[in-house]
Amino acid sequence: MRPSPSRRTVLTATAAGAAALGAAGPAEAAPPGRRPPATAQPPTHELRALLRELDSARIEATIRRLVSFGTRHTLSVQDDPDRGIGAARDWLLGELRSYAAASGGRMTAELQSYVQEPASRIPTATRITNVVATLRGSVTPERVYVVSGHYDSRVTDVMNATSDAPGADDDASGVAVVLELARVMAGRRPASTIVFAAVAGEEQGLYGSTYLAQQLKAAGTDVQGMFTNDIVGSSTADDGTEDPYTIRLFAEGVPSSETPEQAAIRKSVGGENDSATRQLARFVRDVADNDATGMHVRVVYRRDRYLRGGDHIPFLERAYPAARFTEPAEDFAHQHQDVRVDENGKQYGDLPQFCDFAYVERVARVNAAALWTLAQAPGTPRGAKILTSALTNSTQLVWTRGTEPDLAGYEIVWRETTAREWTHVIPAGDVTTYEVDLSKDNVFFGVRAVNRAGNRSPVAFPAPQS
């Protein structure tokens, strides 16, 4: 077992860091994105080349094309070639198949359909169809990452399936991100599998994403990360203020899937801020909050916006790490509204004129940086534990070695219990146990894997093992 820094060395470094931070002011006072976490990963040349291929003009064309179908309401007509959700579905499938044709057989595109019997906001049996493209990994195809947007739309009355519901921001913008990622990645060889999904039924109750998550779970799919992009089209708030370089990322703490036994352990060790989803969100900050994306990722410690929900929730409920991207401040006059002009000349409705297509491209960069690095890096370490059979003021961690052929080793990360981000990284080498001369009572620990190319995995938060 490799020796760790001494407790005196660690505590001295912590004190010095706290003093330096005090002189500079609190982290919250620093300019957003200017102080990267200790775990930050610089973009590779490969990633920068990928990001340069993302095209705001293509994103704009996708949003305008989806709006052109008039309404994409889940209950709208499905057999009209020009209007309704069926026309949008068929166009999306054609786009994804055209990308797949350039993939050398690595990408496939298909419709994933089922009939939803009458339920909340579904008055009659209705076929709900997701449009899904899968880019199979070349090294660890069994490990999967999912990115989605929903292509259905609505107006003020959620049951109105006939009025024009342009849905430019909510959520043609998210679907445009998904399509642009699929287009750019189709010609590349990710080590792990990436699933690109345009789901339906979100406005009626997350029906399409629930079916997608169910199918993946039933197949035993190892989904190690999922992102939904929902309302990512505008950088302008309802009061006219602009924030064109920030994207919110909603990430829950206490897992939606937590069992009573897991809750008891969490309460005993203090893991409320260390769910797999919170580690996924920290990973996004590590790889996508930088000059390559031009964006600040504002992680919000909530499952979703206040009392609201999105397509990542069915994944969370099935114990998959999942988070939601949303623009910095929504303008509610331009979502879930009948298209109209009021007596004061104010335009209502979710129209393309209110989208910022350059902003959507930057959101796509954030997604691409996260997904590509996840797919190229080792998987999140499994079996991470802190040994508790003896009471000591040091901490011994153990984990299971991954099976990736390019695995180089592991790193231990730690932070004060009050810190938001990991603040210290200790190289551990290609081992499966490591002792740190620092008390587990005082700090939080994690383990992450490293491959020979220098790509790091998300952090695994260890559970206690007696």
Side-chain angles (χ1 to χ4, degrees):
M1 182 171 60
R2 180 172 175 172
S4 69
S6 71
R7 187 178 311 135
R8 182 179 298 277
T9 300
V10 168
L11 295 180
T12 300
T14 303
L21 182 59
E28 286 76 11
R34 298 292 178 85
R35 183 177 294 156
T39 47
Q41 301 186 52
T44 63
H45 293 301
E46 176 188 48
L47 176 57
R48 287 184 182 274
L50 186 156
L51 298 182
R52 285 194 294 269
E53 293 183 25
L54 297 168
D55 187 346
S56 63
R58 287 180 175 271
I59 286 170
E60 177 180 357
T62 294
I63 292 172
R64 293 189 182 279
R65 185 70 177 100
L66 288 170
V67 169
S68 75
F69 295 112
T71 179
R72 305 187 306 279
H73 194 284
T74 297
L75 304 178
S76 65
V77 62
Q78 297 199 22
D79 56 0
D80 186 312
D82 301 313
R83 182 178 176 87
I85 195 167
R89 171 202 65 210
D90 294 344
W91 180 80
L92 288 167
L93 179 62
E95 289 297 291
L96 289 173
R97 281 183 170 167
S98 72
Y99 307 153
S103 72
R106 292 183 299 278
M107 177 182 281
T108 57
E110 62 183 350
L111 299 179
Q112 182 190 72
S113 296
Y114 80 104
V115 175
Q116 175 61 52
E117 296 300 326
S120 175
R121 297 183 175 183
I122 304 287
T124 60
T126 301
R127 180 167 294 279
I128 293 177
T129 303
N130 301 324
V131 189
V132 180
T134 302
L135 180 58
R136 184 172 173 82
S138 59
V139 180
T140 50
E142 68 281 358
R143 177 156 45 97
V144 175
Y145 300 96
V146 179
V147 61
S148 80
H150 72 86
Y151 72 101
D152 60 306
S153 63
R154 59 166 286 190
V155 291
T156 305
D157 178 1
V158 71
M159 300 305 292
N160 180 346
T162 58
S163 295
D164 280 355
D169 192 3
D170 184 14
D171 183 36
S173 65
V175 175
V177 167
V178 172
L179 259 64
E180 187 64 357
L181 295 174
R183 182 187 71 83
V184 169
M185 292 185 183
R188 290 176 160 83
R189 294 178 178 271
S192 298
T193 296
I194 303 175
V195 173
F196 308 87
V199 300
E202 191 272 348
E203 301 291 7
Q204 306 308 109
L206 311 181
Y207 286 103
S209 58
T210 297
Y211 186 71
L212 175 61
Q214 285 174 342
Q215 294 300 105
L216 290 165
K217 195 68 175 181
T221 307
D222 182 20
V223 177
Q224 293 199 11
M226 182 273 182
F227 302 109
T228 188
N229 289 266
D230 195 351
I231 312 177
V232 295
S234 175
S235 57
T236 304
D238 52 0
D239 63 358
T241 57
E242 296 183 357
D243 189 359
Y245 301 103
T246 298
I247 183 69
R248 289 185 291 174
L249 180 60
F250 289 87
E252 73 172 13
V254 176
S256 296
S257 62
E258 187 177 68
T259 66
E261 293 76 15
Q262 291 168 335
I265 293 171
R266 173 181 53 77
K267 292 172 185 176
S268 70
V269 303
E272 292 80 8
N273 195 19
D274 282 283
S275 65
T277 293
R278 287 279 164 87
Q279 308 304 348
L280 183 65
R282 290 187 178 107
F283 180 91
V284 175
R285 284 265 294 130
D286 284 348
V287 303
D289 191 319
N290 52 45
D291 70 304
T293 67
M295 291 288 274
H296 169 55
V297 180
R298 180 183 180 185
V299 178
V300 182
Y301 287 172
R302 281 197 170 107
R303 184 172 75 168
D304 207 313
R305 300 143 306 153
Y306 203 78
L307 296 179
R308 298 167 77 188
D311 286 319
H312 58 308
I313 292 177
F315 286 80
L316 291 170
E317 291 171 341
R318 289 157 182 81
Y320 290 137
R324 175 192 177 123
F325 286 111
T326 297
E327 62 199 28
E330 297 170 71
D331 186 340
F332 300 108
H334 301 148
Q335 60 175 269
H336 296 187
Q337 292 284 345
D338 293 337
V339 179
R340 67 193 189 279
V341 178
D342 71 8
E343 63 276 9
N344 298 314
K346 181 179 176 63
Q347 176 71 63
Y348 286 80
D350 192 354
L351 297 163
Q353 69 200 60
F354 300 115
C355 286
D356 178 346
F357 305 113
Y359 174 78
V360 185
E361 182 196 309
R362 289 192 293 276
V363 174
R365 290 184 205 165
V366 170
N367 278 262
L371 284 164
W372 188 256
T373 310
L374 283 166
Q376 298 299 77
T380 305
R382 299 186 184 277
K385 305 282 186 182
I386 289 177
L387 300 185
T388 59
S389 55
L391 290 175
T392 71
N393 280 315
S394 63
T395 303
Q396 186 173 351
L397 298 103
V398 298
W399 57 90
T400 302
R401 191 181 189 281
T403 58
E404 295 89 352
D406 61 344
L407 183 64
Y410 293 87
E411 295 173 338
I412 308 300
V413 300
W414 64 272
R415 69 181 199 276
E416 294 286 344
T417 60
T418 53
R420 296 173 301 171
E421 310 278 2
W422 298 108
T423 55
H424 296 74
V425 179
I426 304 169
D430 192 0
V431 297
T432 57
T433 182
Y434 196 92
E435 185 169 354
V436 181
D437 194 11
L438 188 63
S439 174
K440 52 192 157 292
D441 295 338
N442 300 333
V443 302
F444 289 131
F445 289 98
V447 182
R448 69 177 182 174
V450 187
N451 65 14
R452 289 195 291 269
N455 294 311
R456 270 78 175 170
S457 74
V459 169
F461 186 67
Q465 176 174 295
S466 59

